[in-house]
Short mmCIF file of all heavy atoms in Angstrom, two decimals:
data_model
loop_
_atom_site.label_atom_id
_atom_site.label_comp_id
_atom_site.label_asym_id
_atom_site.label_seq_id
_atom_site.Cartn_x
_atom_site.Cartn_y
_atom_site.Cartn_z
N GLY A 1170 -37.37 213.77 103.80
CA GLY A 1170 -38.71 213.63 104.33
C GLY A 1170 -39.61 212.74 103.51
O GLY A 1170 -40.70 212.37 103.96
N GLY A 1171 -39.16 212.37 102.33
CA GLY A 1171 -39.95 211.52 101.45
C GLY A 1171 -39.80 210.06 101.77
O GLY A 1171 -39.14 209.66 102.74
N SER A 1172 -40.41 209.23 100.93
CA SER A 1172 -40.44 207.79 101.15
C SER A 1172 -40.11 207.04 99.87
O SER A 1172 -40.34 207.52 98.76
CB SER A 1172 -41.82 207.34 101.64
OG SER A 1172 -42.17 207.96 102.86
N LEU A 1173 -39.57 205.85 100.04
CA LEU A 1173 -39.30 204.93 98.95
C LEU A 1173 -39.52 203.51 99.46
O LEU A 1173 -39.32 203.24 100.65
CB LEU A 1173 -37.87 205.05 98.42
CG LEU A 1173 -37.49 206.23 97.54
CD1 LEU A 1173 -35.99 206.22 97.29
CD2 LEU A 1173 -38.26 206.20 96.23
N ARG A 1174 -39.91 202.62 98.57
CA ARG A 1174 -39.98 201.21 98.90
C ARG A 1174 -39.08 200.43 97.96
O ARG A 1174 -39.27 200.44 96.74
CB ARG A 1174 -41.40 200.66 98.81
CG ARG A 1174 -41.50 199.24 99.35
CD ARG A 1174 -42.90 198.66 99.33
NE ARG A 1174 -43.33 198.28 97.99
CZ ARG A 1174 -44.32 197.44 97.74
NH1 ARG A 1174 -45.02 196.91 98.74
NH2 ARG A 1174 -44.65 197.16 96.49
N LEU A 1175 -38.09 199.76 98.52
CA LEU A 1175 -37.19 198.93 97.76
C LEU A 1175 -37.70 197.50 97.72
O LEU A 1175 -38.28 197.02 98.69
CB LEU A 1175 -35.78 198.96 98.37
CG LEU A 1175 -35.15 200.33 98.59
CD1 LEU A 1175 -33.73 200.17 99.14
CD2 LEU A 1175 -35.15 201.14 97.31
N SER A 1176 -37.46 196.84 96.60
CA SER A 1176 -37.86 195.46 96.43
C SER A 1176 -36.65 194.61 96.11
O SER A 1176 -35.71 195.07 95.46
CB SER A 1176 -38.89 195.31 95.31
OG SER A 1176 -40.06 196.05 95.57
N CYS A 1177 -36.68 193.37 96.54
CA CYS A 1177 -35.63 192.42 96.23
C CYS A 1177 -36.28 191.11 95.84
O CYS A 1177 -36.89 190.44 96.68
CB CYS A 1177 -34.69 192.22 97.43
SG CYS A 1177 -33.45 190.94 97.19
N ALA A 1178 -36.15 190.75 94.58
CA ALA A 1178 -36.71 189.51 94.07
C ALA A 1178 -35.65 188.42 94.09
O ALA A 1178 -34.54 188.62 93.59
CB ALA A 1178 -37.24 189.71 92.65
N ALA A 1179 -36.00 187.29 94.65
CA ALA A 1179 -35.08 186.17 94.76
C ALA A 1179 -35.50 185.05 93.81
O ALA A 1179 -36.69 184.78 93.64
CB ALA A 1179 -35.04 185.64 96.19
N SER A 1180 -34.52 184.41 93.21
CA SER A 1180 -34.78 183.30 92.32
C SER A 1180 -33.61 182.32 92.35
O SER A 1180 -32.54 182.64 92.86
CB SER A 1180 -35.01 183.78 90.88
OG SER A 1180 -33.85 184.41 90.36
N GLY A 1181 -33.83 181.14 91.79
CA GLY A 1181 -32.76 180.16 91.68
C GLY A 1181 -32.66 179.18 92.83
O GLY A 1181 -31.87 178.25 92.77
N SER A 1182 -33.45 179.40 93.85
CA SER A 1182 -33.42 178.53 95.01
C SER A 1182 -34.74 178.65 95.76
O SER A 1182 -35.54 179.54 95.48
CB SER A 1182 -32.24 178.87 95.93
OG SER A 1182 -32.16 177.97 97.01
N THR A 1183 -34.94 177.77 96.69
CA THR A 1183 -36.13 177.83 97.52
C THR A 1183 -36.05 179.04 98.44
O THR A 1183 -35.09 179.20 99.19
CB THR A 1183 -36.30 176.56 98.34
OG1 THR A 1183 -36.37 175.43 97.48
CG2 THR A 1183 -37.57 176.61 99.18
N PHE A 1184 -37.05 179.89 98.38
CA PHE A 1184 -37.05 181.14 99.12
C PHE A 1184 -36.84 180.93 100.61
O PHE A 1184 -36.05 181.64 101.24
CB PHE A 1184 -38.34 181.89 98.84
CG PHE A 1184 -38.38 183.28 99.37
CD1 PHE A 1184 -37.51 184.25 98.91
CD2 PHE A 1184 -39.32 183.65 100.33
CE1 PHE A 1184 -37.55 185.55 99.39
CE2 PHE A 1184 -39.37 184.94 100.81
CZ PHE A 1184 -38.49 185.89 100.35
N ASN A 1185 -37.52 179.98 101.17
CA ASN A 1185 -37.46 179.76 102.61
C ASN A 1185 -36.16 179.13 103.08
O ASN A 1185 -35.92 179.03 104.28
CB ASN A 1185 -38.64 178.89 103.06
CG ASN A 1185 -39.97 179.60 102.97
OD1 ASN A 1185 -40.04 180.83 103.03
ND2 ASN A 1185 -41.04 178.84 102.82
N THR A 1186 -35.31 178.71 102.15
CA THR A 1186 -34.03 178.11 102.50
C THR A 1186 -33.05 179.16 103.01
O THR A 1186 -32.11 178.85 103.73
CB THR A 1186 -33.43 177.38 101.30
OG1 THR A 1186 -34.36 176.40 100.83
CG2 THR A 1186 -32.12 176.71 101.65
N TYR A 1187 -33.27 180.41 102.65
CA TYR A 1187 -32.33 181.48 102.94
C TYR A 1187 -32.92 182.52 103.88
O TYR A 1187 -34.12 182.75 103.94
CB TYR A 1187 -31.91 182.17 101.64
CG TYR A 1187 -31.07 181.29 100.74
CD1 TYR A 1187 -31.66 180.42 99.85
CD2 TYR A 1187 -29.68 181.33 100.81
CE1 TYR A 1187 -30.90 179.60 99.03
CE2 TYR A 1187 -28.91 180.52 100.00
CZ TYR A 1187 -29.52 179.66 99.11
OH TYR A 1187 -28.76 178.86 98.30
N VAL A 1188 -32.00 183.17 104.58
CA VAL A 1188 -32.31 184.34 105.38
C VAL A 1188 -31.88 185.56 104.58
O VAL A 1188 -30.77 185.60 104.06
CB VAL A 1188 -31.57 184.30 106.73
CG1 VAL A 1188 -31.80 185.59 107.51
CG2 VAL A 1188 -32.03 183.09 107.54
N LEU A 1189 -32.74 186.54 104.45
CA LEU A 1189 -32.44 187.73 103.67
C LEU A 1189 -32.45 188.99 104.52
O LEU A 1189 -33.21 189.09 105.49
CB LEU A 1189 -33.44 187.89 102.52
CG LEU A 1189 -33.36 186.82 101.42
CD1 LEU A 1189 -34.39 185.73 101.65
CD2 LEU A 1189 -33.53 187.45 100.06
N GLY A 1190 -31.61 189.93 104.15
CA GLY A 1190 -31.54 191.19 104.85
C GLY A 1190 -31.14 192.32 103.91
O GLY A 1190 -30.80 192.09 102.75
N TRP A 1191 -31.19 193.54 104.45
CA TRP A 1191 -30.84 194.73 103.68
C TRP A 1191 -29.60 195.40 104.23
O TRP A 1191 -29.43 195.52 105.46
CB TRP A 1191 -32.00 195.74 103.68
CG TRP A 1191 -33.13 195.34 102.78
CD1 TRP A 1191 -34.27 194.69 103.13
CD2 TRP A 1191 -33.22 195.60 101.38
NE1 TRP A 1191 -35.07 194.52 102.03
CE2 TRP A 1191 -34.46 195.07 100.94
CE3 TRP A 1191 -32.39 196.22 100.44
CZ2 TRP A 1191 -34.87 195.14 99.61
CZ3 TRP A 1191 -32.80 196.29 99.12
CH2 TRP A 1191 -34.03 195.76 98.72
N PHE A 1192 -28.74 195.86 103.33
CA PHE A 1192 -27.50 196.54 103.65
C PHE A 1192 -27.37 197.78 102.79
O PHE A 1192 -28.10 197.94 101.81
CB PHE A 1192 -26.30 195.61 103.43
CG PHE A 1192 -26.34 194.35 104.24
CD1 PHE A 1192 -27.16 193.29 103.88
CD2 PHE A 1192 -25.55 194.21 105.38
CE1 PHE A 1192 -27.20 192.12 104.63
CE2 PHE A 1192 -25.58 193.06 106.13
CZ PHE A 1192 -26.41 192.01 105.76
N ARG A 1193 -26.44 198.65 103.13
CA ARG A 1193 -26.20 199.81 102.30
C ARG A 1193 -24.73 200.21 102.38
O ARG A 1193 -24.04 199.89 103.35
CB ARG A 1193 -27.09 200.99 102.70
CG ARG A 1193 -26.77 201.61 104.06
CD ARG A 1193 -27.79 202.68 104.40
NE ARG A 1193 -27.51 203.31 105.68
CZ ARG A 1193 -28.31 204.19 106.27
NH1 ARG A 1193 -29.44 204.57 105.67
NH2 ARG A 1193 -27.98 204.71 107.44
N GLN A 1194 -24.28 200.92 101.36
CA GLN A 1194 -22.91 201.40 101.32
C GLN A 1194 -22.87 202.78 100.69
O GLN A 1194 -23.24 202.96 99.54
CB GLN A 1194 -22.01 200.45 100.54
CG GLN A 1194 -20.54 200.81 100.58
CD GLN A 1194 -19.66 199.72 100.02
OE1 GLN A 1194 -20.10 198.88 99.24
NE2 GLN A 1194 -18.40 199.72 100.43
N ALA A 1195 -22.42 203.75 101.47
CA ALA A 1195 -22.25 205.11 100.99
C ALA A 1195 -20.86 205.24 100.36
O ALA A 1195 -19.95 204.49 100.71
CB ALA A 1195 -22.42 206.11 102.13
N PRO A 1196 -20.67 206.19 99.45
CA PRO A 1196 -19.37 206.37 98.81
C PRO A 1196 -18.25 206.56 99.83
O PRO A 1196 -18.36 207.39 100.74
CB PRO A 1196 -19.56 207.62 97.96
CG PRO A 1196 -21.02 207.64 97.66
CD PRO A 1196 -21.68 207.12 98.91
N GLY A 1197 -17.18 205.79 99.69
CA GLY A 1197 -16.04 205.91 100.57
C GLY A 1197 -16.22 205.31 101.95
O GLY A 1197 -15.32 205.43 102.78
N LYS A 1198 -17.33 204.66 102.19
CA LYS A 1198 -17.59 204.08 103.49
C LYS A 1198 -17.78 202.57 103.39
O LYS A 1198 -18.01 202.02 102.32
CB LYS A 1198 -18.82 204.72 104.14
CG LYS A 1198 -18.66 206.20 104.44
CD LYS A 1198 -19.86 206.73 105.20
CE LYS A 1198 -19.67 208.19 105.56
NZ LYS A 1198 -20.83 208.72 106.33
N GLU A 1199 -17.69 201.92 104.53
CA GLU A 1199 -17.89 200.48 104.59
C GLU A 1199 -19.36 200.14 104.48
O GLU A 1199 -20.24 200.92 104.85
CB GLU A 1199 -17.31 199.92 105.89
CG GLU A 1199 -15.81 200.09 106.04
CD GLU A 1199 -15.04 199.29 105.03
OE1 GLU A 1199 -15.42 198.13 104.77
OE2 GLU A 1199 -14.05 199.81 104.49
N ARG A 1200 -19.61 198.95 103.99
CA ARG A 1200 -20.98 198.46 103.93
C ARG A 1200 -21.50 198.22 105.34
O ARG A 1200 -20.78 197.73 106.20
CB ARG A 1200 -21.01 197.17 103.11
CG ARG A 1200 -22.39 196.61 102.84
CD ARG A 1200 -22.30 195.48 101.84
NE ARG A 1200 -21.42 194.43 102.30
CZ ARG A 1200 -20.73 193.62 101.51
NH1 ARG A 1200 -20.83 193.74 100.19
NH2 ARG A 1200 -19.95 192.68 102.03
N GLU A 1201 -22.74 198.58 105.58
CA GLU A 1201 -23.32 198.43 106.89
C GLU A 1201 -24.67 197.73 106.82
O GLU A 1201 -25.37 197.80 105.81
CB GLU A 1201 -23.49 199.79 107.58
CG GLU A 1201 -24.46 200.72 106.87
CD GLU A 1201 -24.69 202.01 107.63
OE1 GLU A 1201 -24.47 202.03 108.86
OE2 GLU A 1201 -25.09 203.01 107.00
N SER A 1202 -25.01 197.08 107.90
CA SER A 1202 -26.30 196.43 108.00
C SER A 1202 -27.38 197.46 108.23
O SER A 1202 -27.19 198.41 109.00
CB SER A 1202 -26.31 195.41 109.14
OG SER A 1202 -25.32 194.42 108.96
N VAL A 1203 -28.51 197.29 107.58
CA VAL A 1203 -29.65 198.18 107.74
C VAL A 1203 -30.79 197.48 108.47
O VAL A 1203 -31.31 197.98 109.46
CB VAL A 1203 -30.13 198.72 106.39
CG1 VAL A 1203 -31.39 199.56 106.57
CG2 VAL A 1203 -29.04 199.53 105.71
N ALA A 1204 -31.18 196.33 107.96
CA ALA A 1204 -32.26 195.55 108.55
C ALA A 1204 -32.03 194.08 108.25
O ALA A 1204 -32.01 193.68 107.09
CB ALA A 1204 -33.63 196.00 108.02
N VAL A 1205 -31.84 193.29 109.28
CA VAL A 1205 -31.57 191.87 109.13
C VAL A 1205 -32.35 191.10 110.19
O VAL A 1205 -32.78 191.68 111.19
CB VAL A 1205 -30.07 191.55 109.26
CG1 VAL A 1205 -29.27 192.24 108.16
CG2 VAL A 1205 -29.55 191.95 110.63
N PRO A 1206 -32.53 189.80 109.99
CA PRO A 1206 -33.20 189.01 111.02
C PRO A 1206 -32.43 189.07 112.33
O PRO A 1206 -31.21 188.97 112.34
CB PRO A 1206 -33.22 187.59 110.45
CG PRO A 1206 -33.13 187.79 108.98
CD PRO A 1206 -32.24 188.98 108.80
N SER A 1207 -33.15 189.21 113.42
CA SER A 1207 -32.53 189.28 114.73
C SER A 1207 -31.98 187.93 115.14
O SER A 1207 -32.62 186.89 114.93
CB SER A 1207 -33.55 189.76 115.77
OG SER A 1207 -33.02 189.69 117.07
N TRP A 1208 -30.78 187.92 115.73
CA TRP A 1208 -30.21 186.69 116.24
C TRP A 1208 -30.98 186.18 117.44
O TRP A 1208 -30.84 185.02 117.82
CB TRP A 1208 -28.74 186.89 116.60
CG TRP A 1208 -27.85 186.97 115.41
CD1 TRP A 1208 -27.27 188.08 114.89
CD2 TRP A 1208 -27.42 185.87 114.59
NE1 TRP A 1208 -26.52 187.76 113.78
CE2 TRP A 1208 -26.59 186.42 113.57
CE3 TRP A 1208 -27.67 184.50 114.60
CZ2 TRP A 1208 -26.01 185.61 112.59
CZ3 TRP A 1208 -27.09 183.71 113.62
CH2 TRP A 1208 -26.27 184.27 112.63
N SER A 1209 -31.79 187.04 118.02
CA SER A 1209 -32.65 186.61 119.12
C SER A 1209 -33.79 185.73 118.63
O SER A 1209 -34.43 185.06 119.42
CB SER A 1209 -33.21 187.83 119.86
OG SER A 1209 -32.17 188.60 120.42
#
């Protein structure tokens, strides 16, 4: 029921050159997409 805010700092390249998204992986499970730019 609580909340958290995750941050991701990017460096080494122009920020706008890349598309960024969030993924997660639980123990013993495959990595899955959480929030990514829509292909639409």
